[in-house]
Amino acid sequence: MNDRYYIIRYNAAIMGYSIVFANQKGGVGKTTTTVNLGSYLAKAGNKVLLVDFDSQGNLSSSVGADKNLPGIYEAITGKVDVKKVVQPTIVKDLHIITSNINLTGATIELVEYEDREYYLKRTLDVIKDEWDFIFIDCPPSLGLLTLNGLTAADSIIIPLQCEYYALEGLSLLLKTVQTVQAKLNPRITICGILFTMFDSRTKLANEVVQQVTGYFKEKVFRTVIPRNVKLSEAPSHAKPISEYDANCIGALSYANLAKEVMNRVK
């Protein structure tokens, strides 16, 4: 394997480490990070399961999965065995449970149940030992679906776009994580805060990085994901960046992020 893609495999003695990717703001690179980080960890020999928990289904589209087949909605509502909704992708050891518009109904269907925040956790608990990593991509909100993602996860990665309102949104999300820790999932930790769509030419982007890093220190990933056309193009070709253009700056950045994540969770 090329040196720049070499990542130590996850400790197989601890299976099913789950990471939720969340931010109530849309367009911050959440889905892009989920699929590309998952791809590089899979290429390093880890068994990775992507869970599309957003009714828009963008994660499913980004790997060319069939959204017409039963997916996460059917699994959490007990209509289909979760083991039967896992689909392969073009990357070896990278699989996905898809989502589509049906998932919007779950919010309405589950809201009256007392344990409504635990449906995703119970579903994934059935298969977690079959995977090294489970990545959960949540919708851009702090509603019931995101609460299910936070309750099911061991840690959270927060993609953060370098813009004016970044800190305001981050503060609200962290308060939500603290509430989940206190009431629903005491084991969840912050794996890291990831700067995305970084443009070093702008003063604002550099100021946001300095401000957030100064406050959160080691919680911030050293890797910064730059603005990159190839990263934007890859989903339209239904490929992770590792398969679309492995030599672009975006690909190299996500390969580096994979190494950082491994060092934090191993």
Side-chain angles (χ1 to χ4, degrees), residues 23-73:
N23 193 319
Q24 70 271 31
K25 287 181 60 61
V28 298
K30 180 170 49 62
T31 299
T32 299
T33 298
T34 306
V35 65
N36 291 316
L37 178 58
S39 176
Y40 277 109
L41 288 175
K43 289 173 77 68
N46 298 284
K47 292 187 65 178
V48 181
L49 176 65
L50 306 178
V51 179
D52 191 343
F53 211 51
D54 184 348
S55 61
Q56 296 178 84
N58 291 337
L59 183 64
S60 304
S61 299
S62 68
V63 294
D66 189 347
K67 294 192 287 186
N68 294 315
L69 294 175
I72 193 62
Y73 167 75

Side-chain angles (χ1 to χ4, degrees), residues 154-199:
D154 294 300
S155 67
I156 178 173
I157 288 179
I158 305 171
L160 195 68
Q161 190 176 355
C162 302
E163 61 175 18
Y164 182 72
Y165 293 109
L167 281 176
E168 183 177 317
L170 178 60
S171 176
L172 181 58
L173 177 57
L174 291 177
K175 287 180 181 178
T176 301
V177 172
Q178 289 173 350
T179 300
V180 170
Q181 284 176 321
K183 297 183 178 181
L184 299 170
N185 179 14
R187 76 183 185 283
I188 191 170
T189 60
I190 298 173
C191 182
I193 298 167
L194 175 68
F195 293 115
T196 62
M197 292 178 255
F198 177 72
D199 187 345

Side-chain angles (χ1 to χ4, degrees), residues 1 4-10 17 19 21 33-50 63 87-96 130-135 240-243 254-255 257-259 261-262:
M1 184 178 291
R4 71 168 175 265
Y5 299 138
Y6 179 73
I7 309 163
I8 299 173
R9 190 178 185 276
Y10 187 62
Y17 189 89
I19 300 178
F21 297 76
T33 298
T34 306
V35 65
N36 291 316
L37 178 58
S39 176
Y40 277 109
L41 288 175
K43 289 173 77 68
N46 298 284
K47 292 187 65 178
V48 181
L49 176 65
L50 306 178
V63 294
Q87 297 185 36
T89 72
I90 61 172
V91 178
K92 183 178 181 293
D93 291 324
L94 182 69
H95 290 69
I96 188 168
E130 300 176 19
W131 305 93
D132 294 314
F133 286 100
I134 298 175
F135 284 0
I241 195 63
S242 62
E243 312 307 301
Y254 275 112
L257 177 65
K259 296 174 186 176
V261 169
M262 290 300 303

